Amino acid sequence: MHLTVPLLINPKAGSLFRSGLKVWLDEHRNDFTLVPTSSAEDLTAKARQLAEAGEPVVAAAGGDGTLMNAAQGLAGTDTALGILPCGTMNVFARELGIGSRRFDVALDAIKTGPRHKIDLFTVNDRPFLQMAGFGPDARIVKLITPRLKKLTGAASHVIVGCKVALEHHPIITVTLPGGKEIRGTQVILGNGKRYGGEAHLFANARYDDGLLDAAIIHQESMPILFEILDCMCHRGATSSNVSQFTKLCSFESCEITAEGKLDYQLDGDYAGTILPGEKAIIRRLPEKLKVCVPRVPVPNTPFEKFMAHPMVEAWRTLIRRAKEF
């Protein structure tokens, strides 16, 4: 007997058409039962209802923000999350080896792939799957308008980033368990290696080791971007390849405060602003999330092959020498 998988979907989302998912679903209508959603809260509630009804797999179509909302409803249940990645970056789907907009790979993972249990972390009780950012990267996400994102896609981050790079950024304090404090102007927390697409920011991060990896950068304006790019050029930051301006650490929980207004983002979506005197509390949830992963991860992307090219290696060396100078 052929069983269909419930698919949480926003029928009005433009990404369904831009990604080609709408056409693909028309060709695979026998594999899914569409479950329309009207908001993030509605998507979370329907995911929880389907899990309570005993569905073995609930799929969600969208980007990282949509998957985060679905995960919130499925966390701690026996229902696995299936992923049809049709967003702009699809960082979490790439982390799992599904890739971006690789719908045939995603379907195979849902039908026959193994189920992995991953960690979930929260910022002030709001969960995230892949990453959280405090500082300029969140400021960029906040300023990107829906119209600009629709017109330029991922390039919208570069366009707005040039503006944000000229702004002044408040000092952020990360307080670790035990009381140790680390200060910077940009804090990135990763539950996996990838950040901003296919690029690796953390070389050794894993989504099932119970720890968050953190990069705390103490630079001003444009050099913050250079620090992040340098980590990506090394295919992930380690203690042996970061500059003196970047501190790396891993933890289960921490607290974050700032001297001024501090924007933060969760899985690429603007999530809020911390005011002076307030704090962001980061912790790991006791519940894990079950996800469908492919039997064989998608092969290296063109970006990864490009980063391994000798000419790019030479360019990375020039950047490193310029920073040291």
Side-chain angles (χ1 to χ4, degrees):
M1 180 179 178
H2 180 76
L3 297 178
T4 61
V5 175
L7 174 62
L8 300 167
I9 193 169
N10 176 2
K12 297 181 180 180
S15 60
L16 298 182
F17 301 91
R18 294 192 300 271
S19 67
L21 179 59
K22 178 65 168 59
V23 173
W24 184 87
L25 283 174
D26 289 341
E27 299 172 354
H28 295 81
R29 60 175 61 91
N30 294 329
D31 292 309
F32 298 99
T33 300
L34 300 187
V35 182
T37 63
S38 57
S39 65
E41 294 76 16
D42 184 43
L43 189 147
T44 299
K46 287 181 176 176
R48 176 63 66 173
Q49 292 168 5
L50 290 165
E52 291 174 348
E55 291 288 349
V57 177
V58 171
D64 294 299
T66 298
L67 299 179
M68 176 181 66
N69 294 322
Q72 191 171 356
L74 300 180
T77 73
D78 289 330
T79 300
L81 172 63
I83 298 170
L84 290 180
C86 61
T88 303
M89 295 294 190
N90 302 309
V91 184
F92 184 60
R94 297 174 193 265
E95 186 74 26
L96 296 179
I98 297 171
S100 179
R101 305 182 179 185
R102 302 289 291 270
F103 305 128
D104 288 334
V105 176
L107 179 59
D108 185 63
I110 291 170
K111 286 185 172 182
T112 65
R115 279 43 173 158
H116 287 182
K117 290 186 176 181
I118 70 165
D119 301 315
L120 286 177
F121 291 84
T122 62
V123 176
N124 289 346
D125 296 324
R126 289 190 60 179
F128 63 95
L129 288 170
Q130 180 74 16
M131 60 181 175
F134 298 78
D137 73 333
R139 174 78 174 151
I140 292 171
V141 171
K142 181 181 180 181
L143 294 179
I144 293 175
T145 64
R147 176 176 171 78
L148 179 62
K149 189 172 185 178
K150 180 179 180 180
L151 291 174
T152 63
S156 59
H157 291 75
V158 178
I159 296 169
V160 177
C162 292
K163 176 183 182 299
V164 172
L166 301 176
E167 298 178 349
H168 173 74
H169 308 292
I171 299 297
I172 306 168
T173 299
V174 179
T175 304
L176 304 178
K180 180 180 179 180
E181 295 182 345
I182 306 176
R183 291 179 173 82
T185 49
Q186 170 72 66
V187 176
I188 302 173
L189 309 179
N191 192 32
K193 295 178 174 61
R194 288 167 175 79
Y195 174 82
E198 196 65 58
H200 291 195
L201 182 62
F202 300 103
N204 302 313
R206 291 176 49 185
Y207 53 70
D208 59 357
D209 63 355
L211 297 173
L212 272 178
D213 284 59
I216 303 165
I217 301 170
H218 204 323
Q219 285 276 40
E220 187 64 36
S221 302
M222 191 64 75
I224 295 174
L225 176 61
F226 292 155
E227 287 289 316
I228 295 174
L229 289 175
D230 191 43
C231 292
M232 291 178 173
C233 286
H234 282 94
R235 292 191 286 277
T238 67
S239 58
S240 62
N241 65 28
V242 296
S243 77
Q244 61 181 320
F245 302 105
T246 299
K247 304 297 182 185
L248 302 178
C249 55
S250 301
F251 45 74
E252 289 187 8
S253 63
C254 73
E255 294 183 357
I256 292 178
T257 56
E259 296 178 356
K261 292 182 179 180
L262 178 65
D263 296 324
Y264 67 97
Q265 57 92 359
L266 302 178
D267 288 326
D269 286 346
Y270 169 71
T273 300
I274 303 167
L275 301 177
E278 298 179 343
K279 64 176 64 174
I281 300 175
I282 291 86
R283 67 185 182 92
R284 178 169 57 85
L285 292 177
E287 304 90 2
K288 289 183 177 287
L289 173 70
K290 189 182 293 185
V291 294
C292 303
V293 300
R295 292 170 294 173
V296 180
V298 295
N300 285 348
T301 64
F303 176 84
E304 291 176 313
K305 294 177 181 178
F306 170 77
M307 293 302 296
H309 193 279
M311 289 295 292
V312 178
E313 293 281 356
W315 175 70
R316 290 167 48 194
T317 301
L318 288 175
I319 291 179
R320 184 168 60 252
R321 289 176 179 173
K323 289 175 60 177
E324 293 172 351
F325 179 78

